[in-house]
Amino acid sequence: MGRSGVLIVYALYIARFFTGISLLAGVIVAYLLRRPSVGIERMHLNWLVRLFWYDVAFIVGSAALFLACFLTEPPGSSGPGQLLFLLPIGIFAVWNIVLLVALIVGVRGILAGDGPLPERFRALAE
């Protein structure tokens, strides 16, 4: 399937921002396409699988941090403890921005025939 398969996976990952389930479909397709692929396509698919697991880690971590904040300072109470809720929300928001930028850079890379990341960050994708 080659480059078009990788672009489908990128599209499913980007659709994650609108529907959460498309990320799961994207990683399944990435795992299926990864075995027969070689070269640049395989590098992109490996990167996409890694991004999936990073995303899962950030979602679980943000949820755990949010739960810890909830147990520390329940909603509806007043006080400076309410500011604690900004921490998991901020971490999750920053992660989503980083993820979107990584996906856009990856799409540009596959269209140009390059790897998923610029040369200086290539070690992260291997």
Side-chain angles (χ1 to χ4, degrees):
M1 204 165 188
R3 188 177 296 193
S4 62
V6 175
L7 286 171
I8 289 170
V9 176
Y10 273 114
L12 287 168
Y13 272 50
I14 291 171
R16 166 239 189 253
F17 293 100
F18 307 103
T19 65
I21 196 74
S22 67
L23 183 68
L24 185 59
V27 77
I28 291 170
V29 172
Y31 272 119
L32 292 174
L33 294 177
R34 191 167 68 162
R35 184 171 301 260
S37 66
V38 294
I40 295 295
E41 286 85 11
R42 180 150 183 130
M43 193 184 318
H44 278 273
L45 291 169
N46 286 339
W47 174 240
L48 287 164
V49 168
R50 188 172 293 160
L51 275 179
F52 169 80
W53 290 112
Y54 289 158
D55 194 42
V56 168
F58 271 97
I59 289 171
V60 169
S62 294
L65 191 55
F66 192 81
L67 179 64
C69 290
F70 180 78
L71 294 174
T72 304
E73 188 78 30
S77 60
S78 61
Q82 289 297 311
L83 294 176
L84 285 176
F85 284 98
L86 295 177
L87 185 62
I89 293 169
I91 290 171
F92 188 69
V94 168
W95 165 246
N96 279 298
I97 292 168
V98 168
L99 179 62
L100 184 60
V101 169
L103 291 172
I104 291 170
V105 169
V107 169
R108 289 179 60 196
I110 193 70
L111 291 175
D114 291 333
L117 293 174
E119 191 64 38
R120 63 180 174 254
F121 298 117
R122 190 70 40 99
L124 292 172
E126 295 173 354

